[in-house]
Amino acid sequence: MNEIMEFIPQALEGLKVTIGIFSITLILSIPLGVVIALGRISKIKILKSITGIYVLILRGTPLLLQILFIFFGLPLININIPRFPAAILAMVLNYGAYFGEIFRAGILSIDKGQFEGAEVLGLSKKDTFFRIVLPQALKRVFPPVANEVVTLVKDTSLIYVVGLDELLKIAKIASNRLSSIMPFVVVAVFYLVFNGILTKLLETMEKKFDYYQ
């Protein structure tokens, strides 16, 4: 028990890294997802093709492989990215593709009459999108977005492959040192608490979208 108590401060340090990766990825990938969604529904064929290929590659290959490619593969062509930015880049690109498809589905679900009504009122395409379409689309896609956000928390454990001291790596080192599985149990509790708090927060946010009904 004393050894486990000594491990908790180390786990807290790992939690800081995990939360940092999670927060930065979420902040950057959601706007990227909106951009990708707009590209996917664009009438410009080349833009639609590029974003389509992007989504196909990023959704069709494992996130772990993408992290390895960016950190270990890019240096082969003289592109060296430090550990933390490499992990962030891989996760943002990956989740940007998933969020893009979610937002695309939400935008396409908006009735055509909404666009026609906005045009009659003289609204620009920009105002139509940000004031009318996007708020309604966000309401509809919030549940799948929330699900991806929770998944993101767990996917942060994959960054151990680039040597960052996140929760899973610290637990593995401690487990080898103590010859015990208890560090993994402690880390599992950390993940559960973090996800529990996050889920409650997302539920509260979802209720605030009710005024769009």
Side-chain angles (χ1 to χ4, degrees):
M1 182 59 69
N2 289 336
E3 292 175 336
I4 296 301
M5 294 303 295
E6 291 176 2
F7 166 70
I8 289 179
Q10 300 172 36
L12 289 173
E13 290 300 315
L15 181 61
K16 290 180 182 179
V17 177
T18 295
I19 292 176
I21 292 286
F22 166 80
S23 301
I24 297 173
T25 299
L26 189 62
I27 291 170
L28 297 179
S29 62
I30 287 181
L32 176 61
V34 174
V35 173
I36 296 300
L38 292 176
R40 293 277 283 140
I41 63 177
S42 173
K43 294 181 180 179
I44 303 174
K45 290 185 177 180
I46 187 170
L47 181 59
K48 188 174 184 178
S49 297
I50 291 173
T51 52
I53 293 171
Y54 167 85
V55 169
L56 175 64
I57 294 174
L58 272 295
R59 293 180 70 201
T61 56
L63 175 55
L64 180 60
L65 181 61
Q66 294 163 20
I67 296 172
L68 291 171
F69 175 79
I70 289 175
F71 186 69
F72 295 106
L74 292 183
L76 298 177
I77 55 174
N78 296 319
I79 300 177
N80 296 286
I81 304 177
R83 300 175 190 276
F84 193 86
I88 291 292
L89 178 60
M91 298 198 69
V92 168
L93 292 176
N94 181 273
Y95 272 83
Y98 281 94
F99 284 136
E101 285 299 277
I102 292 173
F103 292 143
R104 180 180 70 88
I107 293 170
L108 292 177
S109 71
I110 303 301
D111 189 87
K112 296 291 184 181
Q114 300 284 333
F115 295 90
E116 295 171 355
E119 186 177 356
V120 170
L121 292 173
L123 293 177
S124 65
K125 290 184 178 180
K126 178 182 177 182
D127 287 338
T128 299
F129 179 74
F130 285 103
R131 295 187 179 185
I132 296 177
V133 177
L134 187 59
Q136 295 181 75
L138 288 176
K139 170 66 176 67
R140 297 185 181 187
V141 304
F142 194 88
V145 167
N147 183 62
E148 286 296 321
V149 170
V150 173
T151 301
L152 173 57
V153 176
K154 294 176 286 185
D155 279 349
T156 57
S157 62
L158 297 176
I159 64 172
Y160 79 92
V161 296
V162 298
L164 289 174
D165 293 331
E166 48 74 52
L167 274 173
L168 186 61
K169 181 185 175 183
I170 287 179
K172 184 177 180 180
I173 293 173
S175 180
N176 291 336
R177 186 180 71 249
L178 302 174
S179 298
S180 170
I181 198 175
M182 286 307 296
F184 289 111
V185 174
V186 173
V187 164
V189 172
F190 273 59
Y191 277 116
L192 283 172
V193 172
F194 185 27
N195 266 328
I197 295 172
L198 185 61
T199 299
K200 284 295 182 183
L201 179 61
L202 291 171
E203 288 175 355
T204 301
M205 292 177 63
E206 186 173 3
K207 290 177 181 178
K208 291 185 179 296
F209 276 100
D210 287 345
Y211 62 84
Y212 286 126
Q213 293 181 343

